């Protein structure tokens, strides 16, 4: 199995340690992983802002760079969901035959569904509050959705249970949006900020020292709101892959 590692632009610039944790974890699991040079943005900001034409060459570049891999994995549920759902249209391919879209997976779903990791991973002796991002819940199926009557499951929590010493908790209204939403946080600043603040308050109420999730963009938004209000009180934010790779 040949795997290409896609590190979204904002992760590369703001959270490079998350990309390094992905590579470290995949290598630890014996995965043949490569980080292709020349990666760029997947095109999500342009397309979400209504500039679909500007996103098309980025989708083509992504396909050219990664089409030789069995899977492409990324530590970003929003970018993965965008590629999975929108690339068939951007590339003008049939949705059932657009392999570059269907073979792109978030790190959590790849580890849980394809690799089926079931052996102990790292060590992280801390209480952690789990953030379930909207794209992960409702587009990638990383966990069950509270508005649908279905059996409860959470793939992120399943993986975190493999980490020694960790205590995983979830906030009240665990899969409610944090208010980021990319362009939404720019166009509806006041609403976005209030949603982020409410989300932070619920995470803080769990008593956890760390807040984690599968999408850096949500964590970035919540952390930014908390910092602006000077309310973090020592609470730290870590991508779930950083925790899974901790101590390996």
């Amino acid at each position: 199995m040949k795997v290409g590692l896609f590190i979204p632009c904002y992760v590369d610039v703001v959270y490079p340690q998350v990309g390094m944790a992905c590579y470290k974890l995949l290598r630890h699991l014996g995965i043949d992983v490569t980080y292709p040079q020349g990666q760029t943005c997947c095109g999500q900001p342009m397309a979400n802002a209504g500039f679909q034409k500007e996103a098309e060459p980025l989708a083509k570049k992504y396909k050219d760079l990664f089409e030789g891999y069995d899977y492409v994995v990324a530590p970003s549920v929003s970018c993965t969901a965008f590629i999975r759902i929108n690339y068939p249209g951007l590339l003008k391919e049939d949705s059932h035959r657009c392999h570059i879209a269907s073979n792109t997976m978030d790190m959590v779903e790849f580890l849980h569904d394809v690799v089926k990791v079931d052996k102990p991973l790292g060590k992280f002796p801390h209480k952690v509050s789990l953030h379930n991002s909207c794209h992960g819940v409702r587009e990638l199926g990383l966990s069950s959705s509270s508005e649908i009557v279905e059996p409860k499951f959470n793939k992120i929590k399943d993986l975190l249970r493999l980490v020694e010493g960790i205590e995983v908790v979830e906030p009240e209204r665990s899969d409610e949006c944090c208010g980021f939403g990319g362009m939404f946080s720019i166009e509806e600043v006041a609403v976005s900020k209030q949603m982020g603040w409410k989300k932070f308050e619920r995470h803080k109420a769990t008593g956890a020292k760390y807040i984690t999730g599968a999408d850096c963009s949500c964590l970035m938004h919540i952390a930014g709101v908390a910092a602006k209000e000077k309310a973090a009180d020592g609470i730290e934010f870590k991508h779930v892959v950083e925790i899974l790779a901790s101590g390996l």
Side-chain angles (χ1 to χ4, degrees):
M1 180 168 58
K2 187 179 178 183
V3 172
L5 179 60
F6 172 55
I7 302 300
C9 47
Y10 76 101
V11 178
D12 179 47
V13 173
V14 184
Y15 302 103
Q17 72 274 13
V18 174
M20 291 186 283
C22 289
Y23 187 81
K24 176 182 178 181
L25 181 57
L26 291 169
R27 289 295 301 271
H28 173 79
L29 294 170
I31 305 297
D32 179 12
V33 57
T34 303
Y35 175 76
Q37 299 294 311
Q39 299 185 28
T40 61
C41 175
C42 66
Q44 180 179 192
M46 300 77 166
N48 285 353
F51 299 98
Q52 182 167 314
K53 287 293 183 183
E54 282 72 8
E56 289 176 0
L58 295 175
K60 185 178 186 305
K61 181 178 177 63
Y62 180 94
K63 179 182 178 181
D64 292 342
L65 195 64
F66 286 108
E67 64 180 349
Y69 295 90
D70 298 309
Y71 293 97
V72 184
V73 296
S76 170
V77 294
S78 60
C79 294
T80 300
F82 175 74
I83 292 166
R84 182 90 54 81
I85 295 169
N86 293 279
Y87 267 29
L90 291 174
L91 294 170
K92 299 175 175 57
E93 296 182 9
D94 184 280
S95 59
H96 299 294
R97 296 181 181 179
C98 186
H99 299 297
I100 196 62
S102 59
N103 291 350
T104 295
M105 305 187 77
D106 173 72
M107 276 286 294
V108 168
E109 63 174 339
F110 177 72
L111 295 174
H112 189 280
D113 299 347
V114 177
V115 182
K116 301 183 186 300
V117 181
D118 60 0
K119 62 182 180 180
L121 292 174
K123 296 181 180 180
F124 201 75
H126 303 286
K127 188 175 185 179
V128 174
S129 185
L130 175 57
H131 178 69
N132 300 290
S133 299
C134 297
H135 289 88
V137 176
R138 296 170 180 87
E139 294 186 331
L140 298 184
L142 298 188
S143 66
S144 52
S145 177
S146 60
E147 67 267 20
I148 298 175
V149 178
E150 61 179 338
K152 299 298 180 185
F153 67 92
N154 193 308
K155 298 177 184 180
I156 307 174
K157 191 182 293 185
D158 288 345
L159 293 176
L160 287 174
R161 289 194 182 106
L162 302 174
V163 177
E164 182 181 339
I166 196 169
E167 179 186 355
V168 181
V169 295
E170 291 183 87
E172 181 187 6
R173 298 163 76 165
S174 62
D175 62 352
E176 186 175 86
C177 180
C178 70
F180 179 59
M183 291 301 297
F184 178 79
S185 65
I186 297 173
E187 296 171 342
E188 299 289 348
V189 177
V191 178
S192 174
K193 177 185 175 182
Q194 187 65 12
M195 292 173 70
W197 174 247
K198 289 295 184 184
K199 196 71 184 182
F200 174 72
E201 284 189 314
R202 294 188 184 108
H203 277 297
K204 187 176 181 179
T206 67
K209 177 176 173 52
Y210 291 89
I211 297 174
T212 192
D215 205 326
C216 287
S217 59
C218 296
L219 298 177
M220 176 175 64
H221 176 63
I222 302 169
V225 171
K228 189 169 185 179
E229 296 298 321
K230 297 180 173 58
D233 294 333
I235 296 174
E236 299 181 39
F237 295 77
K238 279 188 178 292
H239 191 282
V240 64
V241 176
E242 292 182 88
I243 294 177
L244 297 176
S246 179
L248 294 180

